[in-house]
PDB file of all heavy atoms in Angstrom:
ATOM      1  N   MET A   1     110.471  44.344 -40.359  1.00  0.00           N
ATOM      2  CA  MET A   1     111.283  43.563 -39.437  1.00  0.00           C
ATOM      3  C   MET A   1     111.654  42.237 -40.094  1.00  0.00           C
ATOM      4  O   MET A   1     110.782  41.415 -40.376  1.00  0.00           O
ATOM      5  CB  MET A   1     110.535  43.319 -38.125  1.00  0.00           C
ATOM      6  CG  MET A   1     110.076  44.602 -37.434  1.00  0.00           C
ATOM      7  SD  MET A   1     109.354  44.306 -35.794  1.00  0.00           S
ATOM      8  CE  MET A   1     107.896  43.371 -36.264  1.00  0.00           C
ATOM      9  N   ASN A   2     112.937  42.046 -40.333  1.00  0.00           N
ATOM     10  CA  ASN A   2     113.444  40.820 -40.929  1.00  0.00           C
ATOM     11  C   ASN A   2     114.354  40.097 -39.942  1.00  0.00           C
ATOM     12  O   ASN A   2     114.829  40.675 -38.974  1.00  0.00           O
ATOM     13  CB  ASN A   2     114.220  41.124 -42.213  1.00  0.00           C
ATOM     14  CG  ASN A   2     113.376  41.764 -43.286  1.00  0.00           C
ATOM     15  OD1 ASN A   2     112.186  41.476 -43.413  1.00  0.00           O
ATOM     16  ND2 ASN A   2     113.985  42.629 -44.085  1.00  0.00           N
ATOM     17  N   SER A   3     114.604  38.827 -40.220  1.00  0.00           N
ATOM     18  CA  SER A   3     115.480  38.010 -39.376  1.00  0.00           C
ATOM     19  C   SER A   3     115.103  38.127 -37.909  1.00  0.00           C
ATOM     20  O   SER A   3     115.947  38.343 -37.039  1.00  0.00           O
ATOM     21  CB  SER A   3     116.942  38.417 -39.587  1.00  0.00           C
ATOM     22  OG  SER A   3     117.322  38.284 -40.937  1.00  0.00           O
ATOM     23  N   LEU A   4     113.838  37.967 -37.625  1.00  0.00           N
ATOM     24  CA  LEU A   4     113.334  38.149 -36.269  1.00  0.00           C
ATOM     25  C   LEU A   4     113.900  37.111 -35.306  1.00  0.00           C
ATOM     26  O   LEU A   4     114.120  35.955 -35.665  1.00  0.00           O
ATOM     27  CB  LEU A   4     111.814  38.093 -36.263  1.00  0.00           C
ATOM     28  CG  LEU A   4     111.132  39.373 -36.768  1.00  0.00           C
ATOM     29  CD1 LEU A   4     109.692  39.107 -37.140  1.00  0.00           C
ATOM     30  CD2 LEU A   4     111.220  40.467 -35.703  1.00  0.00           C
ATOM     31  N   LYS A   5     114.134  37.562 -34.081  1.00  0.00           N
ATOM     32  CA  LYS A   5     114.676  36.736 -33.019  1.00  0.00           C
ATOM     33  C   LYS A   5     113.677  36.658 -31.869  1.00  0.00           C
ATOM     34  O   LYS A   5     112.845  37.550 -31.700  1.00  0.00           O
ATOM     35  CB  LYS A   5     115.989  37.331 -32.500  1.00  0.00           C
ATOM     36  CG  LYS A   5     117.054  37.539 -33.561  1.00  0.00           C
ATOM     37  CD  LYS A   5     118.262  38.255 -32.976  1.00  0.00           C
ATOM     38  CE  LYS A   5     119.326  38.492 -34.026  1.00  0.00           C
ATOM     39  NZ  LYS A   5     120.505  39.212 -33.458  1.00  0.00           N
ATOM     40  N   PRO A   6     113.744  35.606 -31.052  1.00  0.00           N
ATOM     41  CA  PRO A   6     112.828  35.513 -29.910  1.00  0.00           C
ATOM     42  C   PRO A   6     112.872  36.741 -29.002  1.00  0.00           C
ATOM     43  O   PRO A   6     111.835  37.121 -28.442  1.00  0.00           O
ATOM     44  CB  PRO A   6     113.317  34.260 -29.177  1.00  0.00           C
ATOM     45  CG  PRO A   6     113.874  33.409 -30.266  1.00  0.00           C
ATOM     46  CD  PRO A   6     114.552  34.378 -31.201  1.00  0.00           C
ATOM     47  N   GLU A   7     114.030  37.366 -28.852  1.00  0.00           N
ATOM     48  CA  GLU A   7     114.140  38.545 -28.004  1.00  0.00           C
ATOM     49  C   GLU A   7     113.436  39.770 -28.577  1.00  0.00           C
ATOM     50  O   GLU A   7     113.292  40.785 -27.893  1.00  0.00           O
ATOM     51  CB  GLU A   7     115.605  38.880 -27.699  1.00  0.00           C
ATOM     52  CG  GLU A   7     116.491  38.936 -28.932  1.00  0.00           C
ATOM     53  CD  GLU A   7     117.254  37.643 -29.159  1.00  0.00           C
ATOM     54  OE1 GLU A   7     116.644  36.568 -29.034  1.00  0.00           O
ATOM     55  OE2 GLU A   7     118.466  37.713 -29.462  1.00  0.00           O
ATOM     56  N   ASP A   8     112.988  39.693 -29.830  1.00  0.00           N
ATOM     57  CA  ASP A   8     112.198  40.769 -30.415  1.00  0.00           C
ATOM     58  C   ASP A   8     110.749  40.729 -29.944  1.00  0.00           C
ATOM     59  O   ASP A   8     109.981  41.658 -30.218  1.00  0.00           O
ATOM     60  CB  ASP A   8     112.224  40.696 -31.943  1.00  0.00           C
ATOM     61  CG  ASP A   8     113.606  40.926 -32.518  1.00  0.00           C
ATOM     62  OD1 ASP A   8     114.343  41.788 -31.986  1.00  0.00           O
ATOM     63  OD2 ASP A   8     113.952  40.251 -33.507  1.00  0.00           O
ATOM     64  N   THR A   9     110.376  39.671 -29.261  1.00  0.00           N
ATOM     65  CA  THR A   9     109.016  39.515 -28.763  1.00  0.00           C
ATOM     66  C   THR A   9     108.628  40.653 -27.825  1.00  0.00           C
ATOM     67  O   THR A   9     109.429  41.092 -27.001  1.00  0.00           O
ATOM     68  CB  THR A   9     108.867  38.171 -28.034  1.00  0.00           C
ATOM     69  OG1 THR A   9     108.973  37.106 -28.984  1.00  0.00           O
ATOM     70  CG2 THR A   9     107.520  38.058 -27.328  1.00  0.00           C
ATOM     71  N   GLY A  10     107.403  41.127 -27.965  1.00  0.00           N
ATOM     72  CA  GLY A  10     106.909  42.173 -27.101  1.00  0.00           C
ATOM     73  C   GLY A  10     105.903  43.042 -27.815  1.00  0.00           C
ATOM     74  O   GLY A  10     105.466  42.734 -28.922  1.00  0.00           O
ATOM     75  N   VAL A  11     105.548  44.135 -27.182  1.00  0.00           N
ATOM     76  CA  VAL A  11     104.601  45.076 -27.754  1.00  0.00           C
ATOM     77  C   VAL A  11     105.365  46.205 -28.429  1.00  0.00           C
ATOM     78  O   VAL A  11     106.293  46.772 -27.845  1.00  0.00           O
ATOM     79  CB  VAL A  11     103.656  45.648 -26.685  1.00  0.00           C
ATOM     80  CG1 VAL A  11     102.681  46.647 -27.304  1.00  0.00           C
ATOM     81  CG2 VAL A  11     102.892  44.523 -25.999  1.00  0.00           C
ATOM     82  N   TYR A  12     104.966  46.522 -29.639  1.00  0.00           N
ATOM     83  CA  TYR A  12     105.585  47.604 -30.398  1.00  0.00           C
ATOM     84  C   TYR A  12     104.633  48.792 -30.461  1.00  0.00           C
ATOM     85  O   TYR A  12     103.468  48.656 -30.838  1.00  0.00           O
ATOM     86  CB  TYR A  12     105.962  47.130 -31.799  1.00  0.00           C
ATOM     87  CG  TYR A  12     107.183  46.250 -31.795  1.00  0.00           C
ATOM     88  CD1 TYR A  12     107.100  44.922 -31.403  1.00  0.00           C
ATOM     89  CD2 TYR A  12     108.435  46.755 -32.149  1.00  0.00           C
ATOM     90  CE1 TYR A  12     108.226  44.117 -31.358  1.00  0.00           C
ATOM     91  CE2 TYR A  12     109.562  45.959 -32.110  1.00  0.00           C
ATOM     92  CZ  TYR A  12     109.451  44.640 -31.710  1.00  0.00           C
ATOM     93  OH  TYR A  12     110.577  43.844 -31.673  1.00  0.00           O
ATOM     94  N   TYR A  13     105.157  49.950 -30.083  1.00  0.00           N
ATOM     95  CA  TYR A  13     104.370  51.171 -30.028  1.00  0.00           C
ATOM     96  C   TYR A  13     104.858  52.186 -31.051  1.00  0.00           C
ATOM     97  O   TYR A  13     106.065  52.373 -31.230  1.00  0.00           O
ATOM     98  CB  TYR A  13     104.454  51.815 -28.649  1.00  0.00           C
ATOM     99  CG  TYR A  13     103.880  50.988 -27.531  1.00  0.00           C
ATOM    100  CD1 TYR A  13     104.677  50.097 -26.826  1.00  0.00           C
ATOM    101  CD2 TYR A  13     102.541  51.107 -27.170  1.00  0.00           C
ATOM    102  CE1 TYR A  13     104.155  49.331 -25.789  1.00  0.00           C
ATOM    103  CE2 TYR A  13     102.013  50.354 -26.131  1.00  0.00           C
ATOM    104  CZ  TYR A  13     102.828  49.466 -25.445  1.00  0.00           C
ATOM    105  OH  TYR A  13     102.308  48.718 -24.418  1.00  0.00           O
ATOM    106  N   CYS A  14     103.923  52.839 -31.678  1.00  0.00           N
ATOM    107  CA  CYS A  14     104.205  53.927 -32.595  1.00  0.00           C
ATOM    108  C   CYS A  14     104.155  55.248 -31.838  1.00  0.00           C
ATOM    109  O   CYS A  14     103.280  55.454 -30.991  1.00  0.00           O
ATOM    110  CB  CYS A  14     103.167  53.921 -33.724  1.00  0.00           C
ATOM    111  SG  CYS A  14     103.253  55.311 -34.865  1.00  0.00           S
ATOM    112  N   LYS A  15     105.097  56.128 -32.112  1.00  0.00           N
ATOM    113  CA  LYS A  15     105.130  57.447 -31.490  1.00  0.00           C
ATOM    114  C   LYS A  15     105.265  58.524 -32.553  1.00  0.00           C
ATOM    115  O   LYS A  15     105.992  58.353 -33.530  1.00  0.00           O
ATOM    116  CB  LYS A  15     106.301  57.555 -30.509  1.00  0.00           C
ATOM    117  CG  LYS A  15     106.380  58.896 -29.786  1.00  0.00           C
ATOM    118  CD  LYS A  15     107.596  58.978 -28.884  1.00  0.00           C
ATOM    119  CE  LYS A  15     108.847  59.236 -29.692  1.00  0.00           C
ATOM    120  NZ  LYS A  15     108.899  60.615 -30.225  1.00  0.00           N
ATOM    121  N   ALA A  16     104.577  59.627 -32.354  1.00  0.00           N
ATOM    122  CA  ALA A  16     104.657  60.738 -33.289  1.00  0.00           C
ATOM    123  C   ALA A  16     104.742  62.062 -32.549  1.00  0.00           C
ATOM    124  O   ALA A  16     103.977  62.313 -31.617  1.00  0.00           O
ATOM    125  CB  ALA A  16     103.454  60.746 -34.221  1.00  0.00           C
ATOM    126  N   ASP A  17     105.678  62.887 -32.966  1.00  0.00           N
ATOM    127  CA  ASP A  17     105.747  64.276 -32.520  1.00  0.00           C
ATOM    128  C   ASP A  17     105.092  65.112 -33.610  1.00  0.00           C
ATOM    129  O   ASP A  17     105.466  65.001 -34.779  1.00  0.00           O
ATOM    130  CB  ASP A  17     107.194  64.722 -32.318  1.00  0.00           C
ATOM    131  CG  ASP A  17     107.897  63.928 -31.242  1.00  0.00           C
ATOM    132  OD1 ASP A  17     107.241  63.560 -30.253  1.00  0.00           O
ATOM    133  OD2 ASP A  17     109.115  63.682 -31.388  1.00  0.00           O
ATOM    134  N   LEU A  18     104.136  65.935 -33.234  1.00  0.00           N
ATOM    135  CA  LEU A  18     103.385  66.643 -34.257  1.00  0.00           C
ATOM    136  C   LEU A  18     102.902  68.007 -33.799  1.00  0.00           C
ATOM    137  O   LEU A  18     102.941  68.343 -32.618  1.00  0.00           O
ATOM    138  CB  LEU A  18     102.191  65.794 -34.729  1.00  0.00           C
ATOM    139  CG  LEU A  18     101.174  65.334 -33.676  1.00  0.00           C
ATOM    140  CD1 LEU A  18     100.131  66.413 -33.412  1.00  0.00           C
ATOM    141  CD2 LEU A  18     100.496  64.055 -34.135  1.00  0.00           C
ATOM    142  N   LEU A  19     102.460  68.769 -34.783  1.00  0.00           N
ATOM    143  CA  LEU A  19     101.815  70.048 -34.553  1.00  0.00           C
ATOM    144  C   LEU A  19     100.369  69.890 -34.981  1.00  0.00           C
ATOM    145  O   LEU A  19     100.092  69.551 -36.129  1.00  0.00           O
ATOM    146  CB  LEU A  19     102.506  71.150 -35.356  1.00  0.00           C
ATOM    147  CG  LEU A  19     101.940  72.558 -35.222  1.00  0.00           C
ATOM    148  CD1 LEU A  19     102.164  73.086 -33.814  1.00  0.00           C
ATOM    149  CD2 LEU A  19     102.590  73.487 -36.242  1.00  0.00           C
ATOM    150  N   SER A  20      99.451  70.123 -34.064  1.00  0.00           N
ATOM    151  CA  SER A  20      98.037  69.994 -34.380  1.00  0.00           C
ATOM    152  C   SER A  20      97.530  71.236 -35.089  1.00  0.00           C
ATOM    153  O   SER A  20      98.203  72.269 -35.138  1.00  0.00           O
ATOM    154  CB  SER A  20      97.222  69.757 -33.113  1.00  0.00           C
ATOM    155  OG  SER A  20      97.095  70.945 -32.365  1.00  0.00           O
ATOM    156  N   ARG A  21      96.323  71.123 -35.626  1.00  0.00           N
ATOM    157  CA  ARG A  21      95.713  72.281 -36.292  1.00  0.00           C
ATOM    158  C   ARG A  21      95.292  73.356 -35.300  1.00  0.00           C
ATOM    159  O   ARG A  21      94.918  74.455 -35.710  1.00  0.00           O
ATOM    160  CB  ARG A  21      94.523  71.824 -37.134  1.00  0.00           C
ATOM    161  CG  ARG A  21      94.929  70.991 -38.346  1.00  0.00           C
ATOM    162  CD  ARG A  21      93.827  70.928 -39.382  1.00  0.00           C
ATOM    163  NE  ARG A  21      94.292  70.296 -40.611  1.00  0.00           N
ATOM    164  CZ  ARG A  21      93.945  69.095 -41.011  1.00  0.00           C
ATOM    165  NH1 ARG A  21      93.096  68.366 -40.310  1.00  0.00           N
ATOM    166  NH2 ARG A  21      94.435  68.616 -42.145  1.00  0.00           N
ATOM    167  N   LEU A  22      95.362  73.037 -34.018  1.00  0.00           N
ATOM    168  CA  LEU A  22      95.145  74.034 -32.974  1.00  0.00           C
ATOM    169  C   LEU A  22      96.452  74.718 -32.582  1.00  0.00           C
ATOM    170  O   LEU A  22      96.498  75.459 -31.600  1.00  0.00           O
ATOM    171  CB  LEU A  22      94.505  73.386 -31.747  1.00  0.00           C
ATOM    172  CG  LEU A  22      93.122  72.775 -31.946  1.00  0.00           C
ATOM    173  CD1 LEU A  22      92.649  72.122 -30.657  1.00  0.00           C
ATOM    174  CD2 LEU A  22      92.137  73.830 -32.402  1.00  0.00           C
ATOM    175  N   LEU A  23      97.508  74.455 -33.342  1.00  0.00           N
ATOM    176  CA  LEU A  23      98.826  75.065 -33.164  1.00  0.00           C
ATOM    177  C   LEU A  23      99.494  74.664 -31.851  1.00  0.00           C
ATOM    178  O   LEU A  23     100.240  75.447 -31.259  1.00  0.00           O
ATOM    179  CB  LEU A  23      98.742  76.586 -33.279  1.00  0.00           C
ATOM    180  CG  LEU A  23      98.146  77.132 -34.582  1.00  0.00           C
ATOM    181  CD1 LEU A  23      98.148  78.648 -34.571  1.00  0.00           C
ATOM    182  CD2 LEU A  23      98.922  76.612 -35.783  1.00  0.00           C
ATOM    183  N   SER A  24      99.235  73.468 -31.405  1.00  0.00           N
ATOM    184  CA  SER A  24      99.878  72.945 -30.214  1.00  0.00           C
ATOM    185  C   SER A  24     100.761  71.756 -30.576  1.00  0.00           C
ATOM    186  O   SER A  24     100.390  70.923 -31.403  1.00  0.00           O
ATOM    187  CB  SER A  24      98.840  72.533 -29.174  1.00  0.00           C
ATOM    188  OG  SER A  24      98.018  71.485 -29.659  1.00  0.00           O
ATOM    189  N   ARG A  25     101.926  71.687 -29.970  1.00  0.00           N
ATOM    190  CA  ARG A  25     102.842  70.582 -30.187  1.00  0.00           C
ATOM    191  C   ARG A  25     102.657  69.528 -29.112  1.00  0.00           C
ATOM    192  O   ARG A  25     102.370  69.837 -27.953  1.00  0.00           O
ATOM    193  CB  ARG A  25     104.287  71.069 -30.190  1.00  0.00           C
ATOM    194  CG  ARG A  25     104.642  71.920 -31.390  1.00  0.00           C
ATOM    195  CD  ARG A  25     106.092  72.315 -31.379  1.00  0.00           C
ATOM    196  NE  ARG A  25     106.459  73.066 -32.563  1.00  0.00           N
ATOM    197  CZ  ARG A  25     107.672  73.518 -32.827  1.00  0.00           C
ATOM    198  NH1 ARG A  25     108.653  73.300 -31.968  1.00  0.00           N
ATOM    199  NH2 ARG A  25     107.906  74.197 -33.931  1.00  0.00           N
ATOM    200  N   GLY A  26     102.828  68.293 -29.510  1.00  0.00           N
ATOM    201  CA  GLY A  26     102.692  67.219 -28.549  1.00  0.00           C
ATOM    202  C   GLY A  26     103.222  65.903 -29.069  1.00  0.00           C
ATOM    203  O   GLY A  26     103.525  65.764 -30.258  1.00  0.00           O
ATOM    204  N   THR A  27     103.351  64.963 -28.168  1.00  0.00           N
ATOM    205  CA  THR A  27     103.785  63.616 -28.495  1.00  0.00           C
ATOM    206  C   THR A  27     102.616  62.664 -28.284  1.00  0.00           C
ATOM    207  O   THR A  27     101.969  62.690 -27.234  1.00  0.00           O
ATOM    208  CB  THR A  27     104.972  63.193 -27.622  1.00  0.00           C
ATOM    209  OG1 THR A  27     106.072  64.069 -27.861  1.00  0.00           O
ATOM    210  CG2 THR A  27     105.385  61.765 -27.938  1.00  0.00           C
ATOM    211  N   TYR A  28     102.365  61.825 -29.274  1.00  0.00           N
ATOM    212  CA  TYR A  28     101.247  60.894 -29.222  1.00  0.00           C
ATOM    213  C   TYR A  28     101.738  59.469 -29.392  1.00  0.00           C
ATOM    214  O   TYR A  28     102.704  59.208 -30.119  1.00  0.00           O
ATOM    215  CB  TYR A  28     100.221  61.234 -30.309  1.00  0.00           C
ATOM    216  CG  TYR A  28      99.521  62.551 -30.078  1.00  0.00           C
ATOM    217  CD1 TYR A  28     100.124  63.746 -30.450  1.00  0.00           C
ATOM    218  CD2 TYR A  28      98.269  62.595 -29.475  1.00  0.00           C
ATOM    219  CE1 TYR A  28      99.495  64.960 -30.224  1.00  0.00           C
ATOM    220  CE2 TYR A  28      97.635  63.803 -29.248  1.00  0.00           C
ATOM    221  CZ  TYR A  28      98.250  64.981 -29.627  1.00  0.00           C
ATOM    222  OH  TYR A  28      97.625  66.179 -29.402  1.00  0.00           O
ATOM    223  N   TRP A  29     101.057  58.564 -28.710  1.00  0.00           N
ATOM    224  CA  TRP A  29     101.395  57.146 -28.742  1.00  0.00           C
ATOM    225  C   TRP A  29     100.219  56.319 -29.225  1.00  0.00           C
ATOM    226  O   TRP A  29      99.063  56.626 -28.933  1.00  0.00           O
ATOM    227  CB  TRP A  29     101.793  56.650 -27.354  1.00  0.00           C
ATOM    228  CG  TRP A  29     103.060  57.232 -26.829  1.00  0.00           C
ATOM    229  CD1 TRP A  29     103.220  58.395 -26.148  1.00  0.00           C
ATOM    230  CD2 TRP A  29     104.361  56.652 -26.937  1.00  0.00           C
ATOM    231  NE1 TRP A  29     104.532  58.583 -25.823  1.00  0.00           N
ATOM    232  CE2 TRP A  29     105.257  57.529 -26.291  1.00  0.00           C
ATOM    233  CE3 TRP A  29     104.845  55.478 -27.506  1.00  0.00           C
ATOM    234  CZ2 TRP A  29     106.624  57.264 -26.207  1.00  0.00           C
ATOM    235  CZ3 TRP A  29     106.203  55.212 -27.423  1.00  0.00           C
ATOM    236  CH2 TRP A  29     107.077  56.102 -26.778  1.00  0.00           C
ATOM    237  N   GLY A  30     100.530  55.257 -29.955  1.00  0.00           N
ATOM    238  CA  GLY A  30      99.511  54.306 -30.337  1.00  0.00           C
ATOM    239  C   GLY A  30      99.230  53.333 -29.209  1.00  0.00           C
ATOM    240  O   GLY A  30      99.883  53.357 -28.163  1.00  0.00           O
ATOM    241  N   GLN A  31      98.266  52.469 -29.420  1.00  0.00           N
ATOM    242  CA  GLN A  31      97.879  51.491 -28.409  1.00  0.00           C
ATOM    243  C   GLN A  31      98.851  50.320 -28.322  1.00  0.00           C
ATOM    244  O   GLN A  31      98.893  49.627 -27.312  1.00  0.00           O
ATOM    245  CB  GLN A  31      96.474  50.957 -28.701  1.00  0.00           C
ATOM    246  CG  GLN A  31      95.368  51.984 -28.570  1.00  0.00           C
ATOM    247  CD  GLN A  31      94.938  52.191 -27.144  1.00  0.00           C
ATOM    248  OE1 GLN A  31      95.619  52.875 -26.375  1.00  0.00           O
ATOM    249  NE2 GLN A  31      93.810  51.620 -26.774  1.00  0.00           N
ATOM    250  N   GLY A  32      99.618  50.097 -29.363  1.00  0.00           N
ATOM    251  CA  GLY A  32     100.582  49.020 -29.397  1.00  0.00           C
ATOM    252  C   GLY A  32     100.068  47.808 -30.149  1.00  0.00           C
ATOM    253  O   GLY A  32      98.860  47.565 -30.215  1.00  0.00           O
ATOM    254  N   THR A  33     100.985  47.050 -30.709  1.00  0.00           N
ATOM    255  CA  THR A  33     100.649  45.809 -31.390  1.00  0.00           C
ATOM    256  C   THR A  33     101.620  44.721 -30.953  1.00  0.00           C
ATOM    257  O   THR A  33     102.824  44.952 -30.832  1.00  0.00           O
ATOM    258  CB  THR A  33     100.671  45.994 -32.926  1.00  0.00           C
ATOM    259  OG1 THR A  33     100.224  44.795 -33.568  1.00  0.00           O
ATOM    260  CG2 THR A  33     102.061  46.350 -33.433  1.00  0.00           C
ATOM    261  N   GLN A  34     101.090  43.542 -30.681  1.00  0.00           N
ATOM    262  CA  GLN A  34     101.881  42.446 -30.132  1.00  0.00           C
ATOM    263  C   GLN A  34     102.638  41.703 -31.221  1.00  0.00           C
ATOM    264  O   GLN A  34     102.066  41.333 -32.250  1.00  0.00           O
ATOM    265  CB  GLN A  34     100.977  41.465 -29.378  1.00  0.00           C
ATOM    266  CG  GLN A  34     101.681  40.221 -28.845  1.00  0.00           C
ATOM    267  CD  GLN A  34     102.616  40.517 -27.701  1.00  0.00           C
ATOM    268  OE1 GLN A  34     102.293  41.320 -26.825  1.00  0.00           O
ATOM    269  NE2 GLN A  34     103.781  39.875 -27.695  1.00  0.00           N
ATOM    270  N   VAL A  35     103.914  41.463 -30.969  1.00  0.00           N
ATOM    271  CA  VAL A  35     104.753  40.644 -31.836  1.00  0.00           C
ATOM    272  C   VAL A  35     105.316  39.501 -31.008  1.00  0.00           C
ATOM    273  O   VAL A  35     105.911  39.724 -29.950  1.00  0.00           O
ATOM    274  CB  VAL A  35     105.911  41.453 -32.449  1.00  0.00           C
ATOM    275  CG1 VAL A  35     106.903  40.529 -33.155  1.00  0.00           C
ATOM    276  CG2 VAL A  35     105.373  42.500 -33.408  1.00  0.00           C
ATOM    277  N   THR A  36     105.113  38.285 -31.478  1.00  0.00           N
ATOM    278  CA  THR A  36     105.629  37.112 -30.787  1.00  0.00           C
ATOM    279  C   THR A  36     106.480  36.304 -31.751  1.00  0.00           C
ATOM    280  O   THR A  36     106.011  35.912 -32.820  1.00  0.00           O
ATOM    281  CB  THR A  36     104.489  36.235 -30.247  1.00  0.00           C
ATOM    282  OG1 THR A  36     103.665  37.003 -29.367  1.00  0.00           O
ATOM    283  CG2 THR A  36     105.054  35.043 -29.481  1.00  0.00           C
ATOM    284  N   VAL A  37     107.728  36.067 -31.371  1.00  0.00           N
ATOM    285  CA  VAL A  37     108.662  35.314 -32.199  1.00  0.00           C
ATOM    286  C   VAL A  37     108.989  34.008 -31.486  1.00  0.00           C
ATOM    287  O   VAL A  37     109.542  34.020 -30.383  1.00  0.00           O
ATOM    288  CB  VAL A  37     109.949  36.100 -32.467  1.00  0.00           C
ATOM    289  CG1 VAL A  37     110.861  35.315 -33.403  1.00  0.00           C
ATOM    290  CG2 VAL A  37     109.632  37.465 -33.055  1.00  0.00           C
TER     291      VAL A  37
END
């Protein structure tokens, strides 16, 4: 993230669509990380 602006402030979450070793598909989310500009 470059040239950050105050409106970029907030929590950023990672999301992944994946296939597990149990052969099931799903969407997973991280806990989030705070960014304050």
Side-chain angles (χ1 to χ4, degrees):
M1 304 186 295
N2 298 326
S3 302
L4 283 162
K5 304 174 181 179
E7 50 263 44
D8 295 322
T9 292
V11 179
Y12 285 78
Y13 296 90
C14 174
K15 182 183 77 72
D17 298 325
L18 57 84
L19 180 67
S20 75
R21 291 198 172 108
L22 297 178
L23 303 181
S24 63
R25 291 183 177 181
T27 299
Y28 293 82
W29 293 86
Q31 294 279 78
T33 185
Q34 176 70 41
V35 170
T36 302
V37 183

